[in-house]
Amino acid sequence: MSQPKRKEETIGRETKGDEAIAYTFKELEIKEIFSSYTLPSFLAERLKQYEININYTSNAREAVMLADSFAREYNTLGVVLQSPGVYLTEAIDIIAQAFMDSVPLLLVSTLRSYRDTGRSRIAELKNQDDLMNILAPITKMRERVVSIEEIIITIEKGYKEALSNRNRPVYIEIAEDLFRLKAYPLSPAEQKPEKKTPDKTTVAKVAEILSNSKSLVIIAGYGVLASNSFTELKELAELLDAPVIATFRSKGVLPASHPLYAGEGLGLFATEEGGRLLDEADLILALGTRFTQLSTAGWSMKFKGYLVHNNVDGEDIGKVFIPQMPVVADTGLFLKELLTQLKAKIKEPVKRGSADKIKIYRKIHILDSHGGLWPYDVVRVIQQFKFDKIFIDLTAPTIDFVRLPIEKPFSWITSESLLERNIAVSGIVRAPNNKILGITDLQGVMQNLSIIQNRLNKSRGVLLILNDNGSTTIDAISSDIPTISRTTSNLDIKDEILEKSLNAKTIQSVNELKMELENLDENKLNVLNIKIEPDYKSVMF
């Protein structure tokens, strides 16, 4: 390809397409990527030359799963490099869940050719736009690169878009023709992720309302975590003596041991203290939440107070509850400005006696008499052990874990969209030590059996299978309010299959579970097949 007229606008040397990709990753400080074994060796060597670590997987689906898990755990960008790109169709469900959960993924793939498409090449769809069209509803941006000059600035643009405002997956495809050609790539444009700044007049009104409130409640959604503003949230809660209720996905945003933490969930899924405080509130400050069906128990939340709703995406404000005061802004920037204005008004922390109310209203869960294991029995046992991170698929037999106390941000990783069971397995197979816990059900294990088997000897930590043999499911069809319903048939997977294929240990009592957790093998993945009574009762429903 021809050299641009102004050489000073380029990186200053001719490169092939593979080097341009590696150079860009290095410039963007991307140190880890995920790729399947179909990645060409010359491209792998180039990445190694630029000190980019490649996490190899058996297929594209696994690569996207692990990138998604990586992004959720570290609140950063998950990068996938897939060649050929058509195999990303294996991971449509994972990408869709990342899109719904606001997880930033950079999906870089290869297109067989941009010059002579439609010749039925190996791993080529009918035409060059088909994969982009398939990914269109579940990606924030899609770009195709057909010249080496554009590789750097296009990948950089994708990086910026994935991390700007509401994080989401982006897709970039690079024609394989460029791996055989040389040209001068344009220099990085130093594009930085953008965050919506709050309107200061609006923030001033919110500060005035908050300072005059008599019974304030804060609802902290995942946006507080995504914007890394949990420190500001704690400062705000303590300044205003305001109880904090977390959504299911934002557990850890305030330590469960903090006196102002009023539990997680809203409506029929609220804790006793959370529900009562919300009912009494004259003002609700909702931060970074979409009021999902799961966290609100089918939008059953009842309140009388004035609603201030903040979200980085204006489309999510007013869809469920109409706020008196909408605030479209990055949650972190909003909280920083709000604290600045409040501190100018309030010289001493407000005293409302919120911590005492939380103590008075709080109730201890008492289970009915029962034989065998119920999910909450397992929760109580796990509560006695310390884990650094918990990756969990919220399903019928695992949802009681929502009541597990969480002390740190990003030590609880889950999804509220429930599109796919992949989080527990993808988190645990990357586990570097035995202090990582994955929690799923039988279906979650069977769907991802191959990736567990492939990494069984490389992974650490504990994988809990809450095994009711697939006899229950979360029902959101009969009513908007989710319930647990019994399935008409079960999975009928014998314990011996899990024991042989995963070296799983079958657990049938509380004492057995305690004993296994006390005697974990630190050098392997400990898989515990916990037999749950099919007729169990949940503390959530």
Side-chain angles (χ1 to χ4, degrees):
M1 290 188 176
S2 60
Q3 178 179 338
K5 290 182 180 179
R6 296 181 61 187
K7 187 175 178 179
E8 63 270 18
E9 294 177 355
T10 74
I11 63 172
R13 68 176 186 278
E14 278 192 315
T15 70
K16 289 185 178 181
D18 57 323
E19 185 173 5
I21 293 171
Y23 175 91
T24 312
F25 286 167
K26 181 80 170 179
E27 287 293 302
L28 294 174
E29 298 184 348
I30 294 170
K31 297 178 181 178
E32 282 201 58
I33 68 163
F34 298 84
S35 182
S36 68
Y37 282 106
T38 58
L39 187 72
S41 58
F42 68 85
L43 187 49
E45 285 300 318
R46 188 68 78 179
L47 291 167
K48 185 178 178 181
Q49 178 186 337
Y50 277 79
E51 301 177 323
I52 311 296
N53 183 48
I54 307 171
N55 290 272
Y56 284 106
T57 62
S58 298
N59 52 58
R61 177 182 172 80
E62 291 179 8
V64 177
M65 278 179 61
L66 296 187
D68 172 83
S69 172
F70 178 84
R72 290 172 188 266
E73 180 178 1
Y74 297 108
N75 195 32
T76 189
L77 187 70
V79 181
V80 175
L81 180 56
Q82 174 56 41
S83 175
V86 67
Y87 295 132
L88 286 174
T89 54
E90 301 171 356
I92 294 298
D93 52 348
I94 310 298
I95 300 169
Q97 182 160 271
F99 183 83
M100 292 306 301
D101 288 349
S102 303
V103 176
L105 297 178
L106 176 60
L107 308 171
V108 181
S109 84
T110 64
L111 176 72
R112 283 308 193 196
S113 175
Y114 72 91
R115 295 182 296 181
D116 54 358
T117 57
R119 295 178 60 184
S120 298
R121 291 174 180 267
I122 296 171
E124 182 180 66
L125 297 177
K126 184 180 178 182
N127 66 63
Q128 62 182 9
D129 294 325
D130 287 346
L131 185 55
M132 276 197 176
N133 291 336
I134 291 170
L135 294 173
I138 53 175
T139 51
K140 190 177 181 181
M141 183 198 91
R142 293 154 303 286
E143 294 278 349
R144 176 177 298 131
V145 181
V146 296
S147 72
I148 291 175
E149 288 91 345
E150 298 172 345
I151 288 179
I152 293 176
I153 58 174
T154 305
I155 294 178
E156 186 185 35
K157 179 182 176 183
Y159 171 89
K160 171 192 169 184
E161 286 299 317
L163 294 169
S164 289
N165 297 313
R166 186 171 182 180
N167 299 343
R168 274 180 160 162
V170 301
Y171 173 64
I172 294 170
E173 61 184 19
I174 299 171
E176 292 177 7
D177 313 60
L178 306 184
F179 296 143
R180 296 185 292 271
L181 303 172
K182 278 190 173 184
Y184 287 78
L186 294 171
S187 297
E190 297 185 359
Q191 303 177 65
K192 302 296 183 184
E194 298 174 351
K195 301 296 179 185
K196 289 180 182 175
T197 57
D199 174 67
K200 290 193 175 183
T201 302
T202 301
V203 178
K205 291 178 182 178
V206 174
E208 183 67 27
I209 295 167
L210 291 178
S211 59
N212 292 325
S213 168
K214 294 181 179 179
S215 53
L216 166 67
V217 169
I218 298 173
I219 298 171
Y222 184 74
V224 180
L225 288 175
S227 61
N228 285 309
S229 53
F230 33 85
T231 301
E232 288 79 7
L233 171 70
K234 180 174 177 287
E235 188 177 355
L236 178 67
E238 291 173 348
L239 177 65
L240 298 175
D241 194 16
V244 175
I245 300 171
T247 60
F248 285 0
R249 196 172 167 216
S250 68
K251 282 169 63 65
V253 70
L254 190 71
S257 59
H258 194 286
L260 291 175
Y261 184 68
E264 54 288 304
L266 302 164
L268 296 177
F269 284 166
T271 58
E272 182 70 19
E273 61 270 28
R276 291 186 65 173
L277 287 165
L278 196 61
D279 185 59
E280 296 171 1
D282 64 358
L283 176 61
I284 300 104
L285 175 61
L287 299 168
T289 178
R290 292 179 289 143
F291 291 116
T292 66
Q293 183 180 14
L294 191 63
S295 272
T296 62
W299 310 291
S300 59
M301 183 177 93
K302 305 294 182 186
F303 62 94
K304 307 166 192 169
Y306 190 98
L307 177 62
V308 178
H309 187 186
N310 154 254
N311 199 290
V312 72
D313 192 342
E315 290 185 4
D316 286 326
I317 295 180
K319 277 187 176 179
V320 179
F321 304 108
I322 306 298
Q324 283 83 2
M325 180 75 69
V327 183
V328 181
D330 174 79
T331 300
L333 296 179
F334 170 57
L335 279 173
K336 284 182 174 68
E337 180 62 28
L338 182 60
L339 279 167
T340 298
Q341 297 204 24
L342 279 172
K343 286 176 182 177
K345 291 176 172 291
I346 303 172
K347 302 304 179 184
E348 296 291 333
V350 177
K351 295 182 180 179
R352 308 176 198 265
S354 296
D356 291 335
K357 281 187 178 182
I358 291 171
K359 282 183 181 178
I360 293 169
Y361 292 161
R362 182 169 290 152
K363 281 188 177 180
I364 298 173
H365 298 293
I366 300 175
L367 297 177
D368 294 341
S369 178
H370 60 278
L373 281 171
W374 283 6
Y376 199 66
D377 293 324
V378 184
V379 175
R380 284 174 168 167
V381 174
I382 295 299
Q383 193 170 337
Q384 300 170 34
F385 295 83
K386 184 178 180 181
F387 290 93
D388 294 338
K389 301 282 177 74
I390 297 173
F391 295 84
I392 180 168
D393 299 314
L394 294 179
T395 67
T398 69
I399 197 167
D400 279 7
F401 273 89
V402 163
R403 296 298 186 225
L404 184 72
I406 301 295
E407 293 296 315
K408 295 180 180 178
F410 299 110
S411 57
W412 166 270
I413 297 99
T414 192
S415 168
E416 288 186 45
S417 65
L418 308 193
L419 287 176
E420 187 53 53
R421 290 170 169 86
N422 69 287
I423 291 174
V425 168
S426 58
I428 201 68
V429 297
R430 292 190 302 102
N433 60 62
N434 69 327
K435 294 299 183 182
I436 309 298
L437 177 66
I439 306 169
T440 190
D441 61 5
L442 186 59
Q443 185 179 340
V445 167
M446 298 312 295
Q447 285 179 344
N448 300 292
L449 190 61
S450 63
I451 188 173
I452 305 174
Q453 290 176 320
N454 291 339
R455 292 172 173 261
L456 197 59
N457 297 324
K458 302 175 185 177
S459 304
R460 303 290 183 269
V462 182
L463 177 62
L464 298 185
I465 308 169
L466 268 65
N467 183 358
D468 68 343
N469 220 23
S471 62
T472 59
T473 185
I474 292 180
D475 178 10
I477 297 175
S478 304
S479 166
D480 279 342
I481 299 173
T483 57
I484 289 181
S485 67
R486 307 292 160 180
T487 55
T488 54
S489 62
N490 56 44
L491 295 177
D492 196 26
I493 305 296
K494 303 298 182 185
D495 296 330
E496 291 79 7
I497 294 175
L498 297 176
E499 291 167 358
K500 290 179 180 179
S501 62
L502 301 177
N503 296 324
K505 293 186 178 179
T506 299
I507 306 295
Q508 307 214 40
S509 70
V510 165
N511 287 336
E512 286 181 18
L513 179 57
K514 285 182 179 178
M515 187 177 298
E516 289 299 332
L517 291 172
E518 288 169 352
N519 296 281
L520 296 173
D521 188 338
E522 296 183 2
N523 299 312
K524 73 169 193 176
L525 174 60
N526 300 266
V527 182
L528 304 183
N529 173 33
I530 303 175
K531 301 295 289 183
I532 299 296
E533 283 293 309
D535 294 326
Y536 69 83
K537 289 185 181 178
S538 166
V539 298
M540 296 297 299
F541 298 91

